Amino acid sequence: MKILKVCHACDRIIGELELDGLTSHTADYAVNITGNVAYVLCPSCLNEMEIKTGNVYH
């Protein structure tokens, strides 16, 4: 079964994930699966959220 990968922060569609091939050995711990959607962070949001001096996140 394929599910949709969507960015947690910007809601951009990143791709698809094959759920049948997912095992506890290969699963990414950062993936949050809800229904038919897997929420992850896209590379641009990950880079933007990188902690730097002067950035404050609430």
Side-chain angles (χ1 to χ4, degrees), residues 3-50:
I3 58 176
L4 198 59
K5 283 173 53 177
V6 176
C7 179
H8 238 330
C10 67
D11 293 330
R12 183 171 51 177
I13 298 171
I14 300 170
E16 292 180 336
L17 182 67
E18 184 63 43
L19 193 60
D20 296 335
L22 217 81
T23 66
S24 60
H25 294 65
T26 60
D28 185 357
Y29 65 90
V31 174
N32 180 14
I33 299 174
T34 306
N36 290 339
V37 179
Y39 291 100
V40 296
L41 283 174
C42 67
S44 60
C45 288
L46 257 174
N47 189 28
E48 192 175 306
M49 290 183 181
E50 185 177 333

